[in-house]
Amino acid sequence: MIGLTFNRLQGLIALCDRFMAGGGSERDKAEVAAIKEELERYSPYRIRFIVNKAKEREVMDAVDKATDIANRYVSLPGFTDVNGLDAIRSEAIQAADRLNEIHSVLYSECMVAEDELKAIRYRVAKELKDSGECKTVADVERYSRADTRVERAAEDYKALSRLSLLVRGKRETLDRVIQGCVQKIAVGRVGMVRDSYTADVQLANGNI
């Protein structure tokens, strides 16, 4: 049970409430009430996790889009396809803006999750100290960090942090793609002007 996320625990608690408000037998309701009590006992030791399956898919779609743009940029031949580079630059700017929005949300949530993790660690440490299980400050620190409740909360935080870092990394990749496109477009246009000038000179000299 302790392996469930905060969101899933809250969902199960709400499900218990709906069942107990229904027409089940008193025995079943008592059993569900006991399950709810157990869920509520663990819920305070999990970090609120905003990234459900739908949100994670949305984030990964944005990440996959960034990867596709970067791959197409790499596959373009040198400086010759100015139009292709310009199209990729425009796509990369839009995709980078989307990743910026996502990263801002995830970064803020990471800050909140970090505070929640500290609060959970403090709460567990206090329980260990009050119970007399730990006699020294060093013992409290060591045992609280190794406590399963703290470890599970840390997993929530790490999962959110990894997703935030992934999004930031892809955004930085797109920043490099945009910069590369701008540079290559500039060089390519210089080459187009030079080639056009060479062709005009050759035409004037009767070489074409």
Side-chain angles (χ1 to χ4, degrees), residues 8-9 19 21 28 30 40 48 54 59 65 77 83 93 96 106 131 150 156 160 168 171 180-181:
R8 185 58 56 83
L9 284 169
F19 180 87
D28 288 343
E40 288 176 333
R48 178 175 53 87
V59 172
K65 176 69 174 176
N83 291 333
I93 290 172
L106 292 177
S131 69
V150 174
D156 289 343
L160 190 60
R168 188 181 74 179
R171 186 200 64 196
C181 284

Side-chain angles (χ1 to χ4, degrees), residues 94-107:
Q94 293 180 9
D97 286 344
R98 179 61 183 141
L99 288 177
N100 274 329
E101 293 173 3
I102 293 172
H103 183 257
S104 294
V105 173
L106 292 177
Y107 182 78

Side-chain angles (χ1 to χ4, degrees), residues 8 11 38 41 43 49 77 83 101 129-130 151 164 169 199 203 205 208:
R8 185 58 56 83
E38 193 76 1
R41 188 158 67 88
S43 182
F49 200 58
N83 291 333
E101 293 173 3
K129 182 181 178 181
D130 292 345
E151 288 179 344
S164 177
L203 180 62
N205 293 333
I208 298 180

Side-chain angles (χ1 to χ4, degrees), residues 18 51 130 132 182 194 203:
R18 288 197 296 272
V51 184
D130 292 345
V182 170
R194 184 182 62 246
L203 180 62

Side-chain angles (χ1 to χ4, degrees), residues 48-89:
R48 178 175 53 87
F49 200 58
I50 65 163
V51 184
N52 55 24
K53 291 297 181 182
K55 184 67 176 179
E56 185 177 3
R57 185 64 263 166
E58 179 184 342
V59 172
M60 293 310 299
D61 283 345
V63 168
D64 291 343
K65 176 69 174 176
T67 300
D68 176 65
I69 291 172
N71 289 339
R72 284 191 285 122
Y73 166 75
V74 171
S75 68
L76 280 179
F79 309 92
T80 57
D81 190 357
V82 171
N83 291 333
L85 286 165
D86 196 44
I88 286 179
R89 181 188 62 82

